[in-house]
Amino acid sequence: MLFMSLKNASIIFIILFIPILVTAQSDTIKYDVTLSSAVSNGTYSPFWFQSNRFGVVSSTPQSAFLSTKISKDYGNNQRVFDYGFIANALMRTDTQKKELFFHELYAKANVYLFDIAGGFKEEIIGNQDSTLSSGGFLHSANAQPIPKIFVGIEHFTSVPNARDVQIKGGISHGWFKDDVYVTNMLYHHKYLNVRVKATDYQLWFEMGLDHSAQWGGVLPGSVVQSDKFSDFLKIFFGKGGGLESSQAEQINALGNHLVSQSLKIEGHIGDFKLNGYWQNLSEDGPIILIWNSMNVRDGLWGFSVKNDKFPIIKGFLYEYLSATDQSGPFHDKDGVIYGGNDSYFTNGVYKSGWTNYGRTIGTPLITSPLYNTDGYVGVINNRVRAHHLGFEGDVEGYKYRLLSTFSENYGMYYGRFKPMKPNTSLLLEVTKRFPKLWNLEGQLSLGADFGTLFGNSTGCMLSIRKTGDIFKY
């Protein structure tokens, strides 16, 4: 199988860059060690203790972890060639199990404008706020990183002879390793973002398109899904499968496809930076412009204000998520195809849906399967409406982050919650660096959930972190 033969490509990629360590100049190898422990009194750890943390913090009420990371990023000076890497070993224990594994193992290189990378690492994909958001609709920081190979332009880059026009984009091929229902499942992702500057008004207008898919793998009963290059092309263009594919994939598209369009406007008023963004999600074709889509009532809308002049409140964010419409309740009825019941993050062939290691890859407000009490591996609550607030600032050297989320959870069209399950999740996170105490950084987090979705829970999490340089060369 062509793509299955690429499994070791990330390791080969890392090995190829070892000789560069000898010849590179003016670079720094850094270390980052974090010890953290969480205690709570509910069935689960508070929602914001464990969500949007790339699967590091356990969902159990008592847990602890030790993260040890070494890394090198691109240098500050632009070069024709640059490189970076991350190796992050994680030891975690909770009430159910003890684990030791690589949470991140990643190498990357930049050649002129282009980036190539291999491995798995924490990364933010999407135009949402990076510190206060509840998470992007299609991609968030909720799930454990997926091993992949990436080629593209990772950061916004000006188009030649048009400096007020910038682009970024790329394509990834990866491998799901959780093997929950379908084993050896493959990952596809490509994206393109374009932004244009209105110079007279100091505004940036941005539009983006993301396409992700799950495909290939082995179904229960040793049914092997074809993953030839011809199948990759069908995944790339969202085409139906051949005779060797399941009947559903012959009628519809091969694999499980998810598409997100996004819009963003960014500007400055005095010392304040303002952002407004909109993300949607499409599980079925045809894909039309975001404001004309069948499920236009669904989306993630966000507005943020950031500043450096008033440190007590350096950032504010409000988001509204709606995932209740889903193009209507019926995909088909009485022989008529309506195209509704999009049923976000689920799939008939890939039963675990848009998840990785039990957590949704997209917004965590669509409930992850790890909360399922019956052991089902897929999503059972994707009709959600939520309001989310975030604040961050600095008070006399004590940095804080405050999150507050209220959600209404309706289950699914074919599995409704009766009655609706409300939930409120709160987080207060305070961080302080102590220069006279080995420059340690301490963080105290208080979290709470109230409602019938997860049950009531309050908890405390304490973290100690030490960062620094190993050596420069």
Side-chain angles (χ1 to χ4, degrees):
M1 298 180 182
L2 174 62
F3 283 97
M4 295 304 295
S5 68
L6 295 175
K7 280 186 174 180
N8 295 321
S10 298
I11 297 174
I12 295 172
F13 181 80
I14 294 171
I15 293 173
L16 289 175
F17 280 92
I18 290 177
I20 299 172
L21 296 173
V22 180
T23 58
Q25 300 293 321
S26 302
D27 287 309
T28 304
I29 306 294
K30 298 179 178 292
Y31 70 88
D32 186 331
V33 179
T34 302
L35 177 64
S36 180
S37 179
V39 178
S40 57
N41 62 3
T43 304
Y44 306 100
S45 178
F47 181 78
W48 286 125
F49 274 12
Q50 43 151 325
S51 299
N52 280 350
R53 297 182 189 267
F54 296 100
V56 170
V57 180
S58 172
S59 62
T60 61
Q62 289 87 39
S63 66
F65 72 84
L66 173 65
S67 170
T68 305
K69 177 167 68 175
I70 60 171
S71 64
K72 179 208 170 294
D73 207 347
Y74 292 152
N76 293 326
N77 298 324
Q78 287 188 342
R79 311 173 186 174
V80 175
F81 175 84
D82 205 348
Y83 75 100
F85 65 85
I86 295 174
N88 181 1
L90 184 70
M91 182 168 60
R92 181 171 61 197
T93 180
D94 58 34
T95 55
Q96 298 177 354
K97 57 186 175 180
K98 298 179 181 179
E99 300 174 287
L100 175 61
F101 59 94
F102 276 109
H103 176 65
E104 298 176 278
L105 191 61
Y106 189 82
K108 63 181 180 179
N110 176 264
V111 182
Y112 188 46
L113 298 177
F114 298 97
D115 299 281
I116 180 171
F120 46 99
K121 71 163 187 173
E122 297 178 355
E123 60 182 338
I124 301 296
I125 300 174
N127 63 8
Q128 68 274 11
D129 187 271
S130 61
T131 57
L132 297 177
S133 175
S134 63
F137 207 155
L138 177 58
H139 288 98
S140 70
N142 194 44
Q144 195 167 313
I146 299 171
K148 63 184 179 181
I149 295 173
F150 168 82
V151 178
I153 301 174
E154 188 174 4
H155 303 289
F156 274 114
T157 302
S158 295
V159 174
N161 301 319
R163 297 195 61 83
D164 289 341
V165 179
Q166 297 183 340
I167 63 170
K168 68 176 181 178
I171 183 170
S172 298
H173 174 78
W175 303 265
F176 285 86
K177 306 303 293 182
D178 54 348
D179 293 343
V180 173
Y181 181 81
V182 177
T183 61
N184 300 320
M185 185 165 55
L186 301 177
Y187 168 84
H188 172 77
H189 177 228
K190 59 180 176 288
Y191 69 96
L192 176 65
N193 289 69
V194 180
R195 68 178 184 179
V196 180
K197 186 176 183 180
T199 307
D200 293 341
Y201 300 96
Q202 294 299 306
L203 295 174
W204 284 99
F205 296 93
E206 178 185 335
M207 188 168 188
L209 178 66
D210 281 72
H211 172 214
S212 293
Q214 298 167 297
W215 66 292
V218 181
L219 298 173
S222 300
V223 179
V224 179
Q225 297 281 87
S226 179
D227 60 2
K228 301 188 296 291
F229 184 72
S230 58
D231 298 306
F232 169 76
L233 293 178
K234 292 174 183 176
I235 292 295
F236 188 93
F237 293 106
K239 300 297 184 180
L243 295 177
E244 68 277 13
S245 303
S246 66
Q247 185 176 4
E249 291 187 314
Q250 292 179 42
I251 297 173
N252 301 302
L254 179 66
N256 178 29
H257 293 257
L258 304 95
V259 175
S260 178
Q261 299 178 69
S262 61
L263 297 173
K264 183 177 182 180
I265 182 170
E266 177 183 312
H268 290 80
I269 299 178
D271 297 310
F272 296 89
K273 179 181 178 181
L274 286 73
N275 289 283
Y277 50 89
W278 175 15
Q279 300 175 8
N280 83 339
L281 184 68
S282 298
E283 294 252 8
D284 297 314
I287 306 302
I288 57 179
L289 289 174
I290 184 171
W291 49 81
N292 289 327
S293 60
M294 286 182 61
N295 62 341
V296 68
R297 294 184 181 89
D298 287 345
L300 175 71
W301 293 266
F303 174 74
S304 69
V305 181
K306 300 290 182 77
N307 83 98
D308 293 321
K309 191 172 182 179
F310 303 100
I312 294 178
I313 303 180
K314 298 181 69 174
F316 162 77
L317 172 136
Y318 169 74
E319 285 182 340
Y320 173 67
L321 173 74
S322 176
T324 57
D325 181 71
Q326 302 190 11
S327 305
F330 303 111
H331 179 270
D332 58 88
K333 185 178 181 182
D334 299 329
V336 179
I337 296 178
Y338 294 94
N341 189 23
D342 294 335
S343 197
Y344 304 140
F345 298 178
T346 69
N347 185 261
V349 176
Y350 299 92
K351 297 292 187 182
S352 57
W354 190 234
T355 70
N356 192 35
Y357 286 98
R359 293 186 181 274
T360 53
I361 299 170
T363 173
L365 297 176
I366 290 180
T367 307
S368 294
L370 65 86
Y371 290 104
N372 294 347
T373 57
D374 60 358
Y376 181 62
V377 298
V379 169
I380 62 170
N381 175 44
N382 57 20
R383 296 188 64 239
V384 179
R385 186 180 294 119
H387 299 271
H388 174 78
L389 288 170
F391 296 86
E392 62 184 349
D394 189 322
V395 181
E396 301 294 333
Y398 290 87
K399 298 180 180 179
Y400 74 89
R401 187 167 69 116
L402 177 64
L403 303 180
S404 176
T405 309
F406 172 74
S407 64
E408 297 175 334
N409 301 272
Y410 297 90
M412 302 167 65
Y413 271 125
Y414 292 149
R416 299 174 187 251
F417 289 167
K418 297 180 180 180
M420 176 273 294
K421 296 183 179 182
N423 184 75
T424 299
S425 294
L426 305 173
L427 174 72
L428 173 61
E429 194 173 79
V430 180
T431 306
K432 172 69 174 177
R433 186 172 292 277
F434 300 93
K436 295 182 179 180
L437 192 62
W438 305 291
N439 206 32
L440 292 174
E441 181 181 276
Q443 185 179 87
L444 175 65
S445 302
L446 302 176
D449 293 335
F450 305 100
T452 57
L453 183 64
F454 308 125
N456 296 338
S457 177
T458 57
C460 173
M461 183 161 61
L462 180 64
S463 302
I464 300 173
R465 184 184 182 197
K466 181 74 171 73
T467 61
D469 298 339
I470 298 177
F471 60 85
K472 298 182 179 181
Y473 59 97

